[in-house]
């Protein structure tokens, strides 16, 4: 299942990322923030006014905003 | 061993580098609670305990030397000694967020591996404590192999120790590891090391470290979030009118009294008229807006320091995305509410070049604080000071409407640009949402004082100069008896020549004339009108209240509204044009920007005038 489909509050681990679906600069940023294979994350907030974009995820002690398109490129498994 | 000359502050964004830089050098660089505040290198002077001065360099925050945006590129170049005209720093000060070690230690390892003498400032210790973390700096120092000094930049804690450590960095250099012999340490390896080091350095941690999770639940809520953002903007613009009035009235009365004193004590003539008509009526009419400017900045600084700004970017991202921009553009655009110049500079944190260009081109549409006096005087003159509901003033509502008009205009323009001249894929939005902080009253006051000072300096220099030149052009040549002085003057002749262009959109001659000096700065539109009417009338009363009276008496409502519409769009600011030239490396884009903005200004001023006239206003 993708990160995009994860329920709010559900803890999960990223098991694979399809980096080809992410713009190179964005990929760099995501990896720099630790959003990569093996990372433990949870979705904290989702989208504004009906649209499910952007998404805020918790990773370590950080809250990071990213786009749904990024989340769709990431496969996660429940913890 | 060479003497230490140059040290640079490096670290992840929002670690407190600029706060430390200010505390150590006495500089006043902008600090705010969101990533990407510093976009240029800044140099200051730090005096070591030995009495020797060191050049301290503040750098943009960076996640890695593999730069993803223009500001990160600056950091890489300076640290590597590739920055044109600048020698490589002899020592590096890594600034870490003590409450987020696991993340900040990743880049720290990359920096330490360079083998340059390095000191670590373990900053934001107070926030770590607030979050229930107990850290062991000695363990951290041991693991990293460099000195670690706990600091709280904003409370000036640990500064002496840090300065001392920087001073001894050179001597320690020999003991420190030299460039890492292992050629390729991968990012995942660094991350693992960072986690282990962080774990060893954390003595205890409480489970609940997310004090702000509850706040985010509300502020990032799918529909409460936008509602709250809108409510905040609403309150700001109501306050700009409601709170400022007593202070503005007092300033205006002061200007009136001053003018009266001058008239009573000096003989009539050239000099007296210059002072009363040019300086007091002209410049004074702008200075009266100081309270409104201060109130506006009070709210902006509050949002910046608390950490709300990044949440606002989150809430706005959806709308930005729908016009092909990312939430990353939001912060430069928000800075443009203060002034488009820092706003355009702030676009350096945008990685995608087309995204960045689009943001630069629409930044002048954000209502900068220089428009406030123009809006303020026209609204005060033609919009009745009534309440449409309890605590909802009509004037504040109109002001909010003008701000929204600028925002909507910018969004529509961005949409068109992204489909034409800056065509390309919309880039993503990735942003760290910083922890909330209670703004320190002292920092807030210093920030306000700085903004007020900048405004007064503008009034004393550029606005003063433009107004005096206009006054001279209005005063000569002298009119024959019976003829109007303004008609006879050089300025009047210029206005008469230009007027046919602006007559169709409802502008009178005084307004047309005000547009020319207002290219220097938008506020000059107000001082120009004040001076023109002052020269024109024999009244002794040359206060802002008098100008308000003139406008409400001589301008029709359609004309006044058309003038407001003009200022929503018109690029009346040469400094903005100059910065756009510098940031886009040429005249092509600024020329395009000026062209489209004037075209929009003319069209919308006209539309407003014709519609208002047709509606019988
Ligand atoms: N509580 C606390 N806040 C701090 C400390 N140091 C900095 N801050 C706050 O943290 C925020 C970020 O500080 P800056 O100095 O702008 O951070 P920076 O590292 O220069 O950030 P960039 O320029 O974006 O890379 C501001 O709101 C500061 O007031 C500290 O030691 N304790
Ligand atoms: Mg900074």
């Amino acid at each position: 299942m993708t990160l995009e489909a994860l329920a709010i509050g559900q803890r999960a681990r990223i098991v694979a990322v399809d980096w080809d679906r992410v713009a190179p600069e964005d990929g760099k940023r995501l990896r720099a923030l630790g959003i990569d294979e093996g990372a433990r994350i949870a979705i904290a907030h989702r989208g504004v006014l009906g649209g499910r974009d952007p998404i805020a995820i918790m990773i370590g002690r950080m809250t990071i905003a990213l786009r749904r398109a990024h989340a769709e490129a990431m496969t996660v498994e429940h913890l | 061993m060479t003497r230490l000359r140059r040290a640079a502050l490096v670290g992840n964004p929002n670690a407190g580098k600029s706060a430390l830089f200010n505390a150590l050098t006495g500089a006043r660089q902008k600090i705010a609670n969101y990533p990407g505040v510093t976009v240029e290198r800044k140099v200051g002077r730090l005096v070591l305990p030995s009495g020797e001065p060191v050049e301290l360099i503040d750098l943009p925050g960076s996640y890695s030397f593999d730069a993803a945006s223009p500001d990160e590129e600056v950091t890489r170049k300076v640290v590597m000694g590739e920055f044109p005209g600048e020698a490589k720093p002899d020592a590096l000060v890594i600034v870490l967020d003590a409450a987020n070690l696991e993340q900040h230690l990743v880049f720290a390892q990359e920096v330490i591996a360079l083998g340059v003498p390095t000191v670590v400032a373990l900053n934001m210790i107070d926030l770590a404590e607030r979050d229930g973390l107990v850290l062991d700096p000695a363990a951290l120092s041991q693991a990293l192999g460099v000195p670690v000094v706990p600091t709280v930049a904003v409370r000036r804690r640990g500064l002496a120790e840090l300065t001392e450590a920087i001073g001894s960095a050179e001597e320690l250099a020999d003991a420190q590891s030299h460039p890492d012999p292992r050629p390729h340490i991968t990012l995942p390896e660094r991350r693992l090391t960072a986690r282990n080091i962080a774990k060893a350095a954390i003595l205890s941690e409480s489970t609940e470290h997310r004090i702000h999770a509850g706040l985010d639940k509300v502020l990032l809520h799918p529909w409460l979030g936008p509602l709250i953002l809108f409510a905040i903007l609403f309150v700001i613009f109501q306050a700009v009118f409601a709170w400022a009035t007593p202070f503005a009235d007092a300033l205006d009365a002061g200007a009136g009294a001053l003018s009266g004193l001058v008239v009573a004590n000096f003989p009539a003539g050239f000099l007296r008229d210059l002072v009363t008509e040019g300086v007091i009526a002209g410049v004074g009419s702008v200075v009266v807006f100081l309270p409104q400017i201060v109130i506006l900045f009070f709210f902006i600084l509050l949002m910046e320091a608390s950490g709300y700004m990044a949440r606002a970017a989150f809430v706005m991202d959806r709308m930005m995305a729908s016009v092909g921009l990312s939430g990353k553009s939001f912060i430069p655009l928000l800075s443009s509410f203060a002034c488009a110049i820092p706003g355009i500079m702030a676009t350096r944190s945008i990685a995608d070049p087309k995204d960045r260009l689009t943001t630069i081109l629409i930044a002048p549409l954000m209502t900068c604080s220089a428009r406030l006096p123009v809006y303020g005087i026209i609204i005060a003159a033609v919009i009745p000071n009534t309440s449409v509901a309890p605590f909802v003033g009509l004037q504040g509502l109109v002001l909010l409407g003008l701000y929204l008009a600028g925002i909507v205009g910018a969004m529509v323009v961005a949409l068109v640009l992204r489909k034409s001249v800056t065509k390309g894929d919309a880039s993503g939005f990735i942003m760290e949402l910083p922890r909330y902080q209670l703004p320190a009253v002292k920092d807030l006051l210093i920030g306000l004082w700085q903004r007020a000072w900048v405004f007064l300096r503008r009034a004393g220099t550029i606005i003063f100069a433009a107004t005096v030149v206009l006054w001279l052009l209005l005063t000569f040549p002298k009119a024959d008896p019976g003829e109007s002085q303004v008609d006879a003057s050089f300025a009047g002749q210029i206005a008469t020549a230009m007027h046919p262009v602006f007559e169709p959109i409802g502008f009178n001659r005084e307004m047309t004339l005000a547009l020319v000096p207002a290219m220097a700065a938008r506020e000059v539109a107000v001082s120009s009108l004040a001076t023109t009417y002052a020269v024109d009338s024999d009244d002794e009363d040359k206060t802002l209240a008098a100008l308000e009276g003139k406008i409400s008496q001589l301008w029709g409502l359609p004309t006044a509204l058309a003038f407001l519409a003009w200022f929503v769009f018109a690029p009346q600011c040469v400094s903005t044009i100059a910065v756009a030239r510098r940031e886009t490396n040429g005249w092509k884009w600024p020329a395009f920007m000026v062209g489209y903005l004037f075209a929009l200004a003319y069209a919308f001023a006209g539309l407003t005038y014709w519609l208002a006239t047709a509606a019988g206003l």
Side-chain angles (χ1 to χ4, degrees):
Chain A
M1 129 178 146
T2 68
L3 174 58
E4 150 61 16
L6 197 65
I8 289 184
Q10 171 71 52
R11 303 197 50 83
R13 187 197 349 251
I14 301 178
V15 289
V17 184
D18 183 358
W19 290 115
D20 293 340
R21 293 182 53 180
V22 180
E25 306 293 286
D26 288 0
K28 244 187 221 178
R29 228 345 104 71
L30 289 170
R31 287 191 294 271
L33 287 163
I35 303 173
D36 200 347
E37 274 172 39
R40 290 154 174 265
I41 46 102
I43 292 191
H45 307 281
R46 217 180 245 289
V48 172
L49 292 179
R52 286 148 68 85
D53 232 358
I55 295 173
I57 67 166
M58 313 261 257
I59 172 165
R61 290 179 166 269
M62 293 183 289
T63 309
I64 290 167
L66 42 79
R67 286 266 175 90
R68 194 174 154 186
H70 300 131
E72 277 166 352
M74 300 176 189
T75 312
V76 297
E77 62 175 26
H78 286 181
L79 277 178
Chain B
M1 195 175 77
T2 52
R3 199 175 69 79
L4 176 65
R5 291 171 195 285
R6 220 168 269 104
L9 292 158
V10 289
N12 278 14
N14 215 38
K17 297 176 295 300
S18 301
L20 264 182
F21 178 78
N22 286 353
L24 289 170
T25 65
R28 290 251 180 270
Q29 285 308 307
K30 177 169 179 178
I31 59 173
N33 193 9
Y34 56 84
V37 178
T38 308
V39 291
E40 284 182 296
R41 68 176 243 304
K42 290 281 175 198
V43 181
R45 221 171 80 111
L46 165 69
V47 181
L48 295 178
S50 64
E52 296 214 43
V54 172
E55 231 178 53
L56 193 65
I57 309 167
D58 184 24
L59 291 173
S62 187
Y63 290 106
S64 132
F65 285 131
D66 184 11
S69 51
D71 56 341
E72 280 189 328
E73 187 62 22
V74 171
T75 299
R76 192 189 65 80
K77 280 192 171 148
V78 170
V79 172
M80 302 296 177
E82 292 169 15
F83 198 84
E86 192 168 295
K88 194 172 155 166
D90 313 314
L92 297 173
V93 182
I94 301 177
V95 185
L96 297 180
D97 173 357
N100 191 11
L101 276 183
E102 200 179 312
Q103 162 68 19
H104 283 235
L105 282 172
V106 177
F107 182 47
Q109 292 173 64
E110 212 181 324
V111 176
I112 292 171
L114 294 174
V116 177
T118 301
V119 176
V120 166
L122 188 57
N123 195 37
M124 303 204 180
I125 285 282
D126 58 328
L127 285 188
E129 281 166 6
R130 183 190 79 177
D131 288 1
L133 283 168
V134 182
L135 298 170
D136 181 358
L140 190 60
S141 171
Q142 178 134 44
L144 293 174
V146 300
V148 173
V149 182
T151 59
V152 180
V154 288
R155 313 249 176 297
R156 307 186 63 88
R157 261 162 56 189
L159 295 184
E161 293 86 341
L162 182 62
T163 314
E164 199 167 321
I166 296 172
S168 350
E170 281 273 292
E171 296 147 39
L172 282 168
D174 306 324
Q176 276 176 21
S177 58
H178 287 286
D180 207 307
R182 288 173 297 169
H184 292 297
I185 307 176
T186 62
L187 182 58
E189 281 168 349
R190 284 221 167 92
R191 216 178 284 136
L192 194 66
T193 314
R195 184 172 311 152
N196 290 334
I197 298 178
K199 222 178 254 167
I202 295 174
L203 295 176
S204 76
E205 90 186 279
S206 64
T207 40
E208 190 42 70
H209 56 249
R210 297 229 155 258
I211 292 175
H212 71 242
L215 263 179
D216 271 348
K217 275 221 166 59
V218 180
L219 297 179
L220 301 183
H221 188 275
W223 54 266
L224 269 182
L227 211 66
I228 292 171
L229 176 59
F230 189 78
I232 290 174
L233 293 178
F234 178 84
V235 168
I236 293 175
F237 296 120
Q238 287 292 320
V240 161
F241 267 101
W243 299 359
T245 309
F247 302 101
D249 286 350
L251 277 177
D252 196 28
L258 193 64
S259 186
L261 266 178
V262 173
V263 171
N265 289 300
F266 293 90
F270 174 80
L271 263 181
R272 192 178 88 177
D273 287 350
L274 172 66
V275 171
T276 55
E277 295 171 351
V279 180
I280 298 178
V283 180
S285 67
V286 175
V287 171
V288 169
F289 287 93
L290 179 65
Q292 298 199 333
I293 302 266
V294 168
I295 291 169
L296 181 68
F297 276 111
F298 169 75
F299 286 103
I300 292 182
L301 291 173
L302 211 59
M303 292 200 288
E304 285 184 347
S306 61
Y308 181 70
M309 218 53 129
R311 272 74 188 181
F314 183 92
V315 169
M316 294 296 290
D317 180 60
R318 176 98 192 118
M319 190 171 117
M320 308 290 269
S322 64
V323 298
L325 287 173
S326 83
K328 257 290 187 195
S329 299
F330 180 72
I331 284 172
L333 293 178
L334 213 86
S335 308
S336 303
F337 280 114
C339 172
I341 294 164
I344 288 174
M345 300 279 298
T347 62
R348 290 184 183 189
S349 65
I350 301 175
D352 184 90
K354 283 186 174 158
D355 240 10
R356 178 164 179 238
L357 178 60
T358 315
T359 311
I360 291 175
L361 291 175
I362 62 172
L365 281 167
M366 298 293 115
T367 304
C368 64
S369 57
R371 281 170 171 105
L372 202 53
V374 183
Y375 291 173
I377 181 75
I378 308 288
I379 288 176
V382 300
I383 306 291
N385 184 12
T386 52
S387 294
V388 288
F391 299 107
V392 184
L394 183 61
Q395 295 185 333
L397 218 53
V398 171
L399 186 63
L400 178 62
L402 288 168
Y403 273 75
L404 292 180
I407 296 171
V408 171
M411 294 299 110
V412 174
V413 170
L415 189 67
V416 174
L417 291 179
R418 286 303 252 163
K419 290 209 184 315
S420 53
V421 288
T422 59
K423 197 178 191 139
D425 287 336
S427 72
F429 170 57
I430 302 163
M431 188 177 195
E432 206 182 323
L433 302 181
R435 288 181 304 263
Y436 288 104
Q437 288 224 52
L438 217 53
V441 177
K442 190 179 139 229
D443 292 343
L444 205 64
L445 290 179
I446 292 177
L448 278 183
W449 163 248
Q450 280 179 295
R451 303 316 173 122
W453 176 240
V454 167
F455 175 73
L456 290 177
R457 208 176 48 202
R458 268 167 77 81
T461 53
I462 188 165
I463 296 171
F464 173 81
T467 310
V468 167
V469 169
L470 180 70
W471 181 82
L472 289 172
L473 291 176
L474 277 166
T475 311
F476 299 102
K478 283 284 174 209
D480 300 328
E483 194 189 10
S484 141
Q485 173 58 39
V486 173
D487 285 343
S489 69
F490 291 120
Q493 291 165 28
I494 296 170
T496 308
M498 283 176 61
H499 194 215
V501 180
F502 291 95
E503 203 167 13
I505 60 170
F507 284 19
N508 59 37
R509 231 181 34 168
E510 287 77 12
M511 292 157 74
T512 309
L513 180 58
L515 296 183
V516 182
M519 279 309 289
R522 289 183 174 88
E523 299 98 322
V524 177
V526 176
S527 60
S528 298
L529 287 170
T531 298
T532 309
Y533 283 121
V535 169
D536 207 23
S537 82
D538 302 323
D539 290 352
E540 290 308 325
D541 185 7
K542 292 181 172 148
T543 56
L544 189 67
L547 175 59
E548 252 175 60
K550 279 276 190 310
I551 290 175
S552 62
Q553 174 199 337
L554 299 176
W555 300 15
L557 189 55
T559 292
L561 294 179
F563 200 58
L564 290 175
W566 172 271
F567 272 90
V568 169
F569 296 99
Q572 303 254 193
C573 176
V574 281
S575 318
T576 301
I577 301 168
V579 166
R581 194 206 74 84
R582 201 183 68 197
E583 295 295 308
T584 60
N585 300 315
W587 279 112
K588 178 177 157 204
W589 291 111
F592 173 79
M593 182 175 97
V594 170
Y596 98 78
L597 286 172
F598 271 132
L600 281 182
Y602 195 87
F604 275 90
L607 206 63
T608 307
Y609 178 68
W610 302 320
L611 286 178
T613 307
L617 291 175

